[in-house]
Amino acid sequence: MEKNLTVSEFVASVGSTKGSGGKEMAITRACQQNPWLKEVLKMTYDPFMQYYLKKGFPKPTKTTDWLMPFDKEFWEYKVKPLLIKLTNRELTKQQITDILSPMLGRLTESDQEMLKRIIFKDLRCGIGARTINRAVGDDLIPVPDTQLCKAWDPSILTPEVTEWYATPKLNGLRGRYTLREGKFQFLTREDYPLKGFDILEKQLADLCYIFDIEMVDGEVFSFDLPFQTIMSVARGEKEFSPEDKAKLQFHIFNIRKRGERFSCTKDMVNELNRISKIYINQYMNIRVLEYSVVPNNPTNIEDLCREFTAQGYEGVVLRHPDVAWEPGKRNTHLMKYKIFYEADLIVTQVLKGTEGKKWEDSVAALRCAGIIKAKKIKVGDHELLQPVNIDEQPIDGEEFVNVPVKVEASCSSCSDEEREELTKQGNDLVGRTAEVKFQSFCDHPITGDNGAYSLQFPVFLKFKDVI
């Protein structure tokens, strides 16, 4: 690999190298010869660098016949200052266009693509934070230590477990209030900063001080505010009244004490119960999820899941009795189970991947419409719709209703070959009957769409009609 690489040459070299070991060597060699590339990697993959340009990416405006290479000089004097301003939100939308459009116009098409990939935070050459850190020999990119859930199904064998510790699964925004680099920060599951939850942060700071805690794990949730509204607070998309923000609660399901680890889940649960009795009643915005114990057999687990779902939760979370906390990888020590439904809907539009993202120019989702049978359940102070299985019958005065739905069903479950075939057929897919898997209805109808609802976690499975 030669010195004085451009970003395009660096990415092409890493991307064409097979295997994680080969990619590490390619990154190591390039960064030793071109140290500024470490900064490119840092500002691309560090979750604390956020550029807020997910939509409406400016088009290139050609300003000169002389094209500049995307090299060290262009990075240092043009790109890096822009990324810092974007992260600090120092530019208006018009200023971003005025700066970025001519900047793109100074680059070749391949270099334009590299700049887009940096701003979209994925160089698309098969590397992630851990690969980069191994390659450069230090913790260049912060790696989230979030505890992750594996999906449970009855076929998973865990003979060492007789009983699980169980909590309801919330349909909220996952967040950790954690000690990082000498100060507490409120972070998402991927370690992106969470903004707009000042009430929760103040109360969590008190909690951590009183009980000598270094990490609190849970979800921002409210029975009175839909998930979409909570996400709008996190994105800073609109102002919310103090009354609405006061309805947000942080539901804790896991903690880590400063300087020590719990030896088992029971010890952690006992400490959570102690905190709940001593502290929680002082603050309306902090809650501890109540743990129960469920026998390790499919019938009991599915029954508990349906019980939680009927109360308005997403499902059930199962925690291994001997493992209170474990960072990073998904395994059978922490599992989630959600009941999914299936519906036959009509394809109305074919959607391709976002520019600069993985599935650009390929089918990413199918926009579908149809009717789904549902019943109304009371959750908190308002009613929610819950899907009904095809063979389910109303009981105890329940009323079933037909709900119009419009949804963008993700093609994430498709293989590369299946996605290629969908892309080839394109608009010929419109009018076909698609089987769509989903979890539930969204909390409120789509604004201005005659009462139609969207669905949570919709995924295209297959076509029901044969052509």
Side-chain angles (χ1 to χ4, degrees):
M1 190 177 293
E2 301 292 332
K3 292 185 179 181
N4 304 318
L5 290 177
T6 66
V7 173
S8 295
E9 290 167 340
F10 167 62
V11 171
S13 174
V14 175
S16 63
T17 305
K18 303 297 183 183
S20 59
K23 291 182 185 297
E24 287 174 31
M25 290 179 62
I27 295 169
T28 300
R29 191 161 57 245
C31 289
Q32 286 173 346
Q33 297 173 343
N34 300 267
W36 65 277
L37 288 172
K38 284 181 63 174
E39 201 168 53
V40 175
L41 293 171
K42 172 76 172 174
M43 297 184 78
T44 302
Y45 287 93
D46 191 330
F48 289 91
M49 299 295 295
Q50 288 293 295
Y51 306 128
Y52 307 103
L53 268 179
K54 303 301 183 187
K55 297 180 181 178
F57 200 90
K59 300 294 183 182
T61 302
K62 192 171 184 179
T63 57
T64 177
D65 292 331
W66 179 57
L67 298 176
M68 295 186 66
F70 194 166
D71 58 8
K72 178 181 178 181
E73 183 176 355
F74 193 79
W75 165 261
E76 189 68 33
Y77 295 105
K78 296 293 184 182
V79 179
K80 186 171 75 170
L82 172 66
L83 298 182
I84 292 171
K85 288 180 179 180
L86 290 175
T87 292
N88 295 334
R89 300 197 182 193
E90 295 176 2
L91 301 173
T92 65
K93 187 174 182 180
Q94 186 58 52
Q95 287 173 325
I96 293 171
T97 300
D98 292 343
I99 294 172
L100 192 51
S101 292
M103 185 184 295
L104 288 166
R106 301 289 298 273
L107 299 170
T108 64
E109 288 188 7
S110 61
D111 281 345
Q112 288 176 20
E113 174 70 13
M114 290 306 104
L115 181 51
K116 291 178 184 178
R117 291 186 188 182
I118 289 171
I119 289 174
F120 288 142
K121 299 189 68 61
D122 185 357
L123 293 177
R124 288 167 57 184
C125 55
I127 60 174
R130 288 182 173 85
T131 300
I132 295 169
N133 288 343
R134 288 194 299 267
V136 299
D138 56 31
D139 295 329
L140 184 71
I141 313 297
V143 178
D145 62 355
T146 311
Q147 192 172 28
L148 302 174
C149 284
K150 178 183 176 69
W152 175 87
D153 68 62
S155 67
I156 294 178
L157 300 178
T158 49
E160 79 281 5
V161 177
T162 57
E163 294 179 323
W164 296 100
Y165 280 85
T167 53
K169 188 176 189 316
L170 303 175
N171 184 19
L173 174 63
R174 179 78 178 271
R176 288 176 303 136
Y177 189 74
T178 184
L179 192 60
R180 177 70 62 82
E181 297 179 353
K183 63 178 181 179
F184 278 99
Q185 301 180 57
F186 202 22
L187 307 173
T188 67
R189 185 179 68 179
E190 297 83 11
D191 271 5
Y192 296 133
L194 270 173
K195 304 293 185 182
F197 300 102
D198 44 299
I199 297 174
L200 300 181
E201 286 196 64
K202 184 180 183 304
Q203 295 178 23
L204 287 168
D206 289 347
L207 177 82
C208 290
Y209 175 77
I210 293 170
F211 292 96
D212 200 23
I213 293 171
E214 66 176 16
M215 188 277 294
V216 181
D217 198 356
E219 294 203 29
V220 181
F221 178 75
S222 172
F223 276 124
D224 298 316
L225 296 174
F227 176 72
Q228 295 91 328
T229 300
I230 298 173
M231 287 300 297
S232 295
V233 175
R235 295 188 185 114
E237 293 177 346
K238 58 191 251 188
E239 291 295 325
F240 286 84
S241 67
E243 292 77 18
D244 276 344
K245 279 199 172 183
K247 295 176 182 177
L248 295 173
Q249 294 182 328
F250 189 74
H251 292 250
I252 301 169
F253 48 72
N254 191 15
I255 58 172
R256 190 170 68 230
K257 299 281 283 185
R258 194 186 294 246
E260 63 179 285
R261 301 286 171 88
F262 293 110
S263 61
C264 62
T265 300
K266 182 178 180 179
D267 290 346
M268 189 266 290
V269 172
N270 286 340
E271 179 66 5
L272 282 176
N273 291 337
R274 185 175 79 91
I275 290 172
S276 182
K277 290 177 182 178
I278 297 174
Y279 172 86
I280 296 304
N281 289 335
Q282 300 179 39
Y283 296 96
M284 295 302 295
N285 299 90
I286 305 291
R287 288 290 177 267
V288 173
L289 274 178
E290 184 176 349
Y291 273 86
S292 56
V293 175
V294 58
N296 184 20
N297 68 70
T299 300
N300 289 95
I301 291 171
E302 291 181 8
D303 286 349
L304 184 60
C305 183
R306 293 184 184 281
E307 179 183 330
F308 286 152
T309 301
Q311 296 171 17
Y313 296 107
E314 272 196 325
V316 63
V317 175
L318 307 171
R319 190 176 294 275
H320 196 288
D322 298 328
V323 184
W325 185 85
E326 190 174 41
K329 297 181 180 179
R330 301 178 192 275
N331 55 39
T332 57
H333 297 159
L334 185 70
M335 294 192 286
K336 61 184 177 182
Y337 178 53
K338 299 184 289 187
I339 297 172
F340 279 86
Y341 299 85
E342 294 176 358
D344 294 344
L345 304 174
I346 304 299
V347 178
T348 61
Q349 187 179 355
V350 177
L351 303 176
K352 291 192 173 181
T354 305
E355 183 181 6
K357 292 292 191 179
K358 182 177 181 181
W359 300 116
E360 179 181 354
D361 295 328
S362 296
V363 172
L366 300 175
R367 186 167 284 161
C368 303
I371 301 292
I372 296 178
K373 188 180 292 186
K375 61 183 176 183
K376 294 179 180 180
I377 61 172
K378 188 79 170 178
V379 177
D381 295 328
H382 61 283
E383 278 188 329
L384 293 180
L385 293 170
Q386 188 175 87
V388 174
N389 290 315
I390 295 175
D391 56 353
E392 191 172 341
Q393 298 296 320
I395 58 172
D396 299 331
E398 289 179 337
E399 180 184 357
F400 287 1
V401 294
N402 291 321
V403 180
V405 299
K406 292 184 178 181
V407 66
E408 294 180 5
S410 167
C411 295
S412 58
S413 66
C414 296
S415 66
D416 290 344
E417 292 77 15
E418 290 169 333
R419 191 184 296 270
E420 184 178 347
E421 181 61 28
L422 293 177
T423 303
K424 186 188 302 182
Q425 294 184 44
N427 289 331
D428 290 341
L429 300 174
V430 173
R432 295 193 64 182
T433 301
E435 184 176 291
V436 175
K437 179 178 75 170
F438 68 100
Q439 185 186 320
S440 188
F441 295 95
C442 289
D443 298 324
H444 296 294
I446 303 168
T447 303
D449 216 334
N450 299 319
Y453 279 75
S454 187
L455 303 173
Q456 292 185 340
F457 310 113
V459 176
F460 164 71
L461 296 178
K462 63 183 178 182
F463 288 111
K464 298 299 288 289
D465 48 2
V466 178
I467 292 181

